[in-house]
Amino acid sequence: MKRSIYRFAPPSVLVATLIALYFEYTNGTMDVEDFVSLPAVAGWCLAFTYVAYRKPEHLRKFEIATFLFLCLHHLYRFYFIVHGKFGAGHHDLNEYTFWIPFFYICGFLILDKTMALRVSLAVFTATVFIGAGRFWVDPSGAGAILDVILQFYISNVVYIVALYYLYYAVEANVQSEEYQRMAFTDFLTRLPNRRQLEEWMAAEIGAVRERRTPLSVALIDIDCFKQINDAYGHDAGDAVLVRFAAFLSERIRGGDSVGRWGGEEFLVVMRRTELGDAAAFAERLRADLEREPFPEAGRVTASFGLAQLGGGEELFSLLKRADQALYVSKSEGRNRVTAL
């Protein structure tokens, strides 16, 4: 996301800077401060755009350098406005205030929340000292410009506080989403876990009853998994689980869902699928699995237990019947498909 912003923001600032240069040059209003600062900003934006598009591996170093440049430019420009043009016409400070949010946004975009707050407050404190120095050197006429500079400082405080809490809210939301994802995802295989599958199926059963469409499930158990762990070690067993999860994920049909039910058991939810079609699909999976290479453990097979949701049936009953079908497959020699 940051890279996308960097591909948009620097070129936009570059265009705005070039427009300012053009009008100040053609109107004859360019002074020493603009003569130095505007070309510097334009050049830096051009360099940043080049790095964002062509040298993304250097982006982190360049964004830190960019923020330091912005800090210096901000203080430089504020000093010249307050100690130079400000006495003649304080509209320059009003115009410059438009760009202050951009400076603070860059800080919170580039740095972490705490460091961005510290740097923003440090730069803000420096502007307070610069403003105080202006009134110390020339206290005459302070009343005419005091209102403008106080509004400038107040707006800066508002920007800093608002961005800090916005950053905090976004960060908290991201963490909440990550915790939720972890709560519903199996750590090893990265598939949905049993909790997620149960929630999905509970919602799906309600939808199936409204639509009056079929729903079938397949409970799949890796055959002789304990022997794999005993013979090759638990690391090999984990590798088999990961590879088996990838095998199922690659072969399920669009609209179906797969997750880890627990241990070496996996569950496939087949929407809009009659039991006969589900059994045919499971048989193809079983046959493909026999040919699938598992370097960690040699040949791997699995047993399948299938069931279709009956009229008025609840989730617990559906899963119990799938488990009974799986038991039949295992008791009859494993590596087979049973549908009940």
Side-chain angles (χ1 to χ4, degrees):
M1 184 183 73
K2 288 175 65 173
R3 187 176 176 185
S4 299
I5 294 174
Y6 291 154
R7 286 182 168 185
F8 167 76
S12 300
V13 177
L14 174 61
V15 171
T17 304
L18 293 176
I19 291 173
L21 275 170
Y22 171 78
F23 281 106
E24 290 200 15
Y25 178 79
T26 55
N27 295 333
T29 57
M30 184 174 294
D31 53 23
V32 175
E33 179 257 326
D34 288 338
F35 181 79
V36 174
S37 66
L38 292 180
V41 171
W44 197 276
C45 288
L46 187 62
F48 201 122
T49 302
Y50 173 78
V51 171
Y53 278 91
R54 304 301 299 273
K55 302 289 184 179
E57 66 274 15
H58 301 305
L59 200 54
R60 181 57 185 168
K61 294 179 180 178
F62 204 81
E63 66 178 356
I64 295 292
T66 296
F67 187 59
L68 293 175
F69 170 80
L70 288 174
C71 290
L72 294 175
H73 175 265
H74 171 51
L75 295 175
Y76 169 84
R77 189 170 181 84
F78 182 75
Y79 176 87
F80 269 90
I81 291 176
V82 172
H83 287 265
K85 297 183 291 185
F86 197 47
H90 56 254
H91 64 278
D92 295 300
L93 188 59
N94 290 333
E95 293 174 355
Y96 182 57
T97 303
F98 296 152
W99 288 98
I100 294 299
F102 176 76
F103 165 73
Y104 292 121
I105 288 171
C106 287
F108 281 92
L109 184 66
I110 293 171
L111 307 174
D112 65 80
K113 178 173 84 273
T114 302
M115 182 58 68
L117 178 64
R118 290 175 179 174
V119 174
S120 297
L121 290 176
V123 173
F124 171 74
T125 302
T127 62
V128 171
F129 279 107
I130 291 173
R134 164 67 172 82
F135 292 110
W136 180 269
V137 172
D138 183 17
S140 62
I145 59 176
L146 183 60
D147 175 64
V148 176
I149 202 166
L150 286 178
Q151 292 292 335
F152 174 84
Y153 288 140
I154 292 171
S155 65
N156 276 240
V157 172
V158 171
Y159 296 145
I160 294 172
V161 172
L163 284 169
Y164 177 79
Y165 281 103
L166 178 62
Y167 192 116
Y168 181 85
V170 171
E171 190 177 59
N173 185 61
V174 170
Q175 289 179 350
S176 175
E177 290 180 353
E178 178 64 16
Y179 291 147
Q180 185 175 8
R181 185 189 65 80
M182 291 172 62
F184 289 96
T185 303
D186 176 62
F187 178 77
L188 178 64
T189 63
R190 315 312 296 173
L191 289 179
N193 61 16
R194 183 168 184 157
R195 178 188 297 180
Q196 179 70 87
L197 287 168
E198 287 179 342
E199 284 201 5
W200 281 351
M201 290 184 64
E204 189 63 28
I205 286 175
V208 163
R209 286 173 178 162
E210 290 182 4
R211 296 192 303 258
R212 297 184 179 181
T213 55
L215 174 72
S216 297
V217 297
L219 195 57
I220 309 169
D221 184 88
I222 300 176
D223 293 331
C224 305
F225 187 72
K226 183 178 184 300
Q227 286 86 327
I228 294 175
N229 278 331
D230 292 342
Y232 301 100
H234 288 281
D235 288 343
D238 288 347
V240 169
L241 289 172
V242 171
R243 190 177 294 274
F244 186 73
F247 167 84
L248 291 177
S249 298
E250 291 169 359
R251 285 165 175 78
I252 61 170
R253 305 163 306 168
D256 293 349
S257 300
V258 61
R260 187 180 181 188
W261 193 242
E264 65 272 22
E265 290 187 344
F266 295 78
L267 183 72
V268 177
V269 181
M270 292 170 277
R271 298 173 177 85
R272 301 177 183 272
T273 305
E274 299 282 356
L275 187 60
D277 294 333
F281 173 66
E283 180 59 34
R284 290 196 297 272
L285 283 180
R286 187 202 62 78
D288 287 346
L289 180 61
E290 285 187 310
R291 297 187 292 271
E292 184 75 11
F294 282 81
E296 304 85 1
R299 181 171 176 263
V300 172
T301 63
S303 301
F304 294 72
L306 279 70
Q308 180 179 341
L309 182 70
E313 187 175 26
E314 298 298 331
L315 175 60
F316 173 79
S317 174
L318 173 65
L319 294 173
K320 183 178 180 180
R321 291 195 297 111
D323 188 61
Q324 291 171 343
L326 176 62
Y327 177 80
V328 172
S329 290
K330 293 167 71 174
S331 62
E332 293 185 355
R334 300 186 178 89
N335 189 26
R336 65 183 62 235
V337 175
T338 301
L340 294 180

